[in-house]
């Protein structure tokens, strides 16, 4: 049996010493680590119970909720500047199961809104509810003035039974960066106090019951990047002051009752990538020419406004556009071939239900990334200019029906992969064979041939006279 050398013992002593030290440090840290105070912990239990009383929260999570919390409950450490004492507090509360990646505490059908949310969590930065209030009406409780100094995100999504005026929710939350109130029962107008949220970067109020005119106070929000007021009952003119929001990336005012003229001041939004003004009541002023001055645009939707007029030649500097929605706008005239020339990244084009006439530009057939072209219900005529490969690629989303004078070649119509909208068009009466006479007659060379013929004729005439 081998005998360990006595020289090995100092090494074992060192290992043993460091193991003891590590354990001691770990125990010390565990003892020094602050825990959530009992009052704040009890408030979390009560809030969780109001969201879903069927779950035994205190039994499932009996320990410190900052060390062993349910998903959606987040804490952070704070140092007292005068005493240097470290404390721990709740900073995020998220409720409503979203997905397996964000399994927040699930809400029940009889969830209620606990007022402790606005009184017990002085360090709260994020408050999130997803599909929690869907049955019995839950009214917005009165928010104390003392609440919200740290609040950065206020998010309520798809809570149709969460009811109350917007003015009852918005306070002087100077740290607020996101106000996302989508698909709730929020009503009333935008309060002037919204303009005091000087650090806000996103305001999304879509699919509520808001109304009235848009407050000009929003123009003070110099950091705003997203403004979404879609799906409400706003009316009147869009304030020209919206053009002062020069950091905007997205502006969505769709599905309201805005009227008058689309303000030209929107051309100041040089960072804008997404513009949706569709389904309002904007007047017959034509497609705004200022779009040509917004080179970063990727999507522009004006459908459902009877703007009238021609499609302007504004596309040369808009090569980054991916989607255009100009449906049901009372547009007349032809479709500019320049759209197919310059919009090389286009994926979606909607020009349906207008009064457009003339031929379909063959240049559209060279749009490499296009996945949908809707030209239905216009007065287009002539032959469908697309190749079998192109029509097969777009398939059912190449929509051409409702153009009585538009025809398709017999050979193309028999293709198995073309969409029904193309197949239902009438067949062209004449095959698509170039006419060589017309081709020569319309070319530069035909002019030369004609000139040479006349010179020869004159030469032979003079020669006959001399003889």
């Amino acid at each position: 049996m081998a005998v360990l050398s006595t020289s090995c013992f100092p090494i074992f002593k060192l290992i043993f010493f460091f193991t003891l030290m590590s354990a001691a440090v770990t125990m010390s840290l565990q003892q020094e680590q602050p825990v959530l105070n009992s009052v704040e912990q009890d408030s979390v239990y009560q809030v969780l119970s109001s969201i879903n009383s069927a779950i035994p929260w205190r039994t499932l999570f009996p320990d410190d909720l900052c060390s062993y919390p349910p998903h959606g409950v987040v804490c952070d450490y704070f140092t007292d500047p005068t005493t240097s004492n470290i404390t721990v507090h709740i900073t995020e509360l998220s409720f409503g199961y979203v997905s397996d990646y964000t399994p927040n505490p699930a809400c029940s059908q009889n969830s209620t809104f606990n007022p402790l949310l606005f009184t017990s969590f002085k360090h709260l930065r994020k408050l999130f509810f997803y599909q929690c209030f869907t049955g019995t009406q839950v009214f917005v409780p009165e928010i104390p003035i003392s609440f919200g100094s740290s609040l950065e995100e206020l998010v309520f999504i798809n809570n149709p039974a969460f009811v109350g005026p917007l003015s009852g929710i918005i306070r002087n939350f100077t740290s607020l960066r996101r106000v996302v109130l989508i698909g709730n029962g929020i009503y009333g107008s935008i309060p002037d106090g919204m303009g005091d949220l000087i650090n806000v970067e996103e305001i999304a109020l879509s699919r509520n019951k808001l109304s009235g005119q848009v407050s000009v106070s929003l123009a003070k929000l110099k950091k705003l990047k997203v403004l979404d007021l879609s799906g409400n009952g706003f009316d009147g003119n869009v304030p020209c002051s919206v053009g002062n929001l020069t950091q905007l990336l997205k502006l969505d005012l769709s599905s309201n009752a805005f009227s008058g003229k689309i303000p030209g001041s929107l051309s100041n939004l040089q960072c804008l990538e997404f513009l949706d003004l569709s389904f309002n009541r904007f007047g017959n002023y034509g497609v705004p020419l200022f779009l040509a001055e917004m080179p970063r645009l990727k999507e522009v939707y004006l459908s459902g406004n009877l703007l009238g007029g021609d499609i302007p030649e504004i596309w040369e500097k808009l090569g980054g556009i991916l989607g255009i929605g100009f449906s049901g706008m009372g547009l007349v005239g032809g479709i500019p071939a320049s759209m197919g020339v310059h919009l090389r990244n286009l994926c979606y084009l909607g020009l349906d239900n207008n009064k457009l006439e003339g031929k379909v530009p063959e240049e559209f057939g060279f749009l490499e990334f296009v996945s949908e072209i809707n030209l239905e219900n216009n007065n287009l005529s002539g032959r469908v200019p697309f190749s079998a490969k192109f029509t097969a690629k777009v398939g059912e989303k190449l929509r051409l029906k409702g153009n009585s004078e538009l025809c398709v070649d017999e050979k193309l119509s028999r293709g198995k992969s073309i969409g029904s909208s193309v197949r239902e068009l009438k067949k062209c009466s004449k095959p698509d064979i170039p006419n060589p006479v017309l081709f020569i007659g319309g070319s530069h060379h035909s002019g030369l041939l004609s000139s040479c013929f006349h010179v020869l004729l004159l030469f032979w005439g003079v020669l006959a006279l001399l003889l």
Side-chain angles (χ1 to χ4, degrees):
M1 181 175 178
V3 179
L4 288 173
S5 170
T6 55
S7 62
C8 293
F9 282 104
I11 297 175
F12 282 110
K13 287 180 180 180
L14 284 173
I15 294 173
F16 180 70
F17 174 75
F18 282 117
T19 302
L20 285 178
M21 288 295 294
S22 176
V25 169
T26 301
M27 291 177 62
S28 176
L29 288 174
Q30 288 177 343
Q31 290 174 355
E32 292 179 4
Q33 181 176 333
V35 297
L36 189 65
N37 71 70
S38 58
V39 175
E40 200 165 344
Q41 174 130 339
D42 186 67
S43 295
V44 177
Y45 286 137
Q46 291 188 55
V47 169
L48 286 167
S49 182
S50 68
I51 294 301
N52 196 328
S53 59
I55 297 176
W57 298 106
R58 295 176 188 268
T59 304
L60 290 176
F61 302 94
D63 300 318
D64 174 47
L65 286 177
C66 285
S67 299
Y68 305 99
H71 193 282
V73 177
V74 178
C75 301
D76 201 356
Y77 295 100
F78 297 84
T79 302
D80 190 311
T82 56
T83 64
S84 297
N85 291 335
I86 298 175
T87 56
V88 63
H89 298 282
I90 299 293
T91 56
E92 294 185 18
L93 291 172
S94 299
F95 307 110
Y97 180 85
V98 178
S99 70
D100 289 341
Y101 299 101
T102 52
N104 300 325
C107 299
S108 65
Q109 291 185 345
N110 58 350
S111 295
T112 59
F113 194 94
N114 197 313
L116 287 173
L117 285 164
F118 292 146
T119 57
S120 298
F121 309 107
K122 306 294 184 182
H123 301 274
L124 197 63
R125 295 176 186 148
K126 178 180 179 179
L127 185 59
F128 177 97
F129 285 90
Y130 176 73
Q131 290 186 350
C132 285
F133 312 117
T134 58
T136 306
Q137 279 192 340
V138 175
F139 290 93
V140 178
E142 186 172 346
I143 302 176
I145 298 176
S146 59
F147 173 77
S149 60
S150 301
L151 194 65
E152 296 178 6
E153 298 185 54
L154 183 64
V155 182
F156 285 72
I157 299 176
N158 294 346
N159 299 282
F162 186 65
V163 177
L166 184 59
S167 58
I169 300 173
I170 300 303
R171 289 288 185 268
N172 188 25
F173 302 146
T174 54
S175 298
L176 203 61
R177 294 185 298 104
R178 300 181 67 217
V179 182
V180 180
L181 306 174
I182 298 176
N184 304 296
I186 307 301
Y187 57 82
S189 58
I190 296 177
D192 290 339
M194 186 78 83
D196 296 328
L197 306 179
I198 55 175
N199 289 304
V200 75
E201 297 177 7
E202 178 181 3
I203 295 177
L205 305 176
S206 62
R207 294 189 291 111
N208 284 287
K209 299 178 181 179
L210 298 167
S211 58
Q213 298 191 1
V214 174
S215 174
V216 295
S217 68
L218 295 182
K220 297 190 292 184
L221 305 177
K222 300 302 183 182
K223 296 183 180 180
L224 196 63
K225 292 180 171 63
V226 175
L227 179 59
D228 184 352
L229 306 180
S230 61
N232 284 287
F234 293 112
D235 56 20
N237 295 334
V238 174
C240 292
S241 56
V242 172
N244 295 335
L245 303 173
T246 54
Q247 298 301 308
L248 273 186
L249 301 175
K250 175 181 178 179
L251 177 61
D252 190 345
L253 305 179
S254 62
S255 300
N256 281 286
F258 289 113
S259 57
K261 187 176 183 179
I262 298 172
S265 62
L266 297 187
S267 64
N268 297 330
L269 307 180
Q270 290 293 294
C271 297
L272 201 68
E273 297 180 359
F274 181 97
L275 176 63
D276 193 347
L277 305 177
S278 57
F279 302 106
N280 279 285
R281 300 173 184 172
F282 291 113
N284 184 17
Y285 296 96
V287 175
L289 300 180
F290 65 72
L291 294 176
E293 303 169 32
M294 306 172 76
R296 296 192 184 182
L297 270 182
K298 288 183 170 58
E299 298 178 69
V300 54
Y301 303 105
L302 304 176
S303 298
N305 295 288
L306 292 177
L307 301 183
D310 298 329
I311 300 175
E313 292 279 4
I314 58 174
W315 312 107
E316 185 175 356
K317 297 180 181 179
L318 297 175
I321 283 187
L322 306 176
I324 295 176
F326 283 5
S327 306
M329 291 171 52
L331 299 174
V332 298
I335 302 174
S338 60
M339 297 182 80
V341 173
H342 298 299
L343 304 179
R344 307 306 296 175
N345 296 306
L346 196 65
C347 297
Y348 168 77
L349 177 63
L351 298 176
D352 54 289
N353 294 287
N354 285 293
K355 301 175 183 178
L356 298 169
E357 56 190 16
K359 295 183 177 182
V360 176
E362 60 181 320
E363 288 79 3
F364 285 179
F366 300 103
L367 295 174
E368 183 179 356
F369 304 108
V370 75
S371 58
E372 181 171 356
I373 295 179
N374 191 344
L375 307 178
E376 289 181 350
N377 302 320
N378 280 288
N379 300 317
L380 300 172
S381 59
R383 189 183 305 274
V384 173
F386 305 133
S387 66
K389 181 180 179 181
F390 179 84
T391 54
K393 180 186 77 168
V394 184
E396 291 291 344
K397 292 191 176 181
L398 178 57
R399 308 178 191 276
L400 302 173
K401 67 181 182 181
N403 294 281
S404 59
E405 297 303 315
L406 201 60
C407 69
V408 61
D409 285 331
E410 179 72 30
K411 183 179 179 181
L412 182 61
S413 69
R414 291 199 301 266
K416 295 182 179 179
S417 55
I418 68 168
S420 58
S421 181
V422 177
R423 191 177 292 111
E424 291 172 7
L425 294 175
K426 70 179 183 179
K427 308 303 180 290
C428 299
S429 58
K430 295 181 180 180
D432 188 17
I433 301 175
N435 188 329
V437 175
L438 292 176
F439 176 76
I440 293 173
S443 70
H444 173 67
H445 298 291
S446 67
L448 291 176
L449 288 170
S450 178
S451 298
C452 291
F453 175 75
H454 285 97
V455 170
L456 285 172
L457 186 62
L458 180 60
F459 172 77
W460 288 112
V462 172
L463 186 61
L465 290 172
L466 292 174
L467 295 174

